[in-house]
Amino acid sequence: MDAWVVDGGFGLDRLVRTTRPEPAPGPGQVRVRLTAVSLNYRDLLMVTGQYNPRQRLPRSVQRRYVGRRRRRG
């Protein structure tokens, strides 16, 4: 699966697209095939380190999305 993550420090130049393995959903969870993702103001603050400069990196920044359920755990 593709993911946008902040890695190696904060800043827009540290926002990179990466590929991660698809996890299997656990009990009570679902896997969703995303059709749209938005980056909002909170995401911008996270990328630049203004939201919480002590957060651990690498960190995925997408929080708002829409999609269809693919699999249940």
Side-chain angles (χ1 to χ4, degrees):
M1 75 180 183
D2 291 336
W4 286 95
V5 297
V6 180
D7 196 9
F10 296 107
L12 291 174
D13 58 331
R14 303 293 185 152
L15 185 62
V16 294
R17 185 177 180 176
T18 187
T19 301
R20 293 184 172 177
E22 286 194 28
Q29 297 178 333
V30 295
R31 181 185 298 169
V32 177
R33 181 180 183 95
L34 301 182
T35 55
V37 175
S38 71
L39 296 176
N40 59 33
Y41 186 66
R42 179 182 172 273
D43 296 319
L44 176 63
L45 294 177
M46 287 180 67
V47 169
T48 58
Q50 297 174 41
Y51 186 78
N52 177 5
R54 294 182 300 194
Q55 63 189 335
R56 293 182 184 178
L57 299 177
R59 174 162 302 276
S60 177
V61 295
Q62 300 97 333
R63 297 289 178 233
R64 306 276 183 202
Y65 49 85
V66 64
R68 300 196 73 154
R69 184 181 68 201
R70 289 181 65 194
R71 190 178 193 188
R72 273 192 283 207

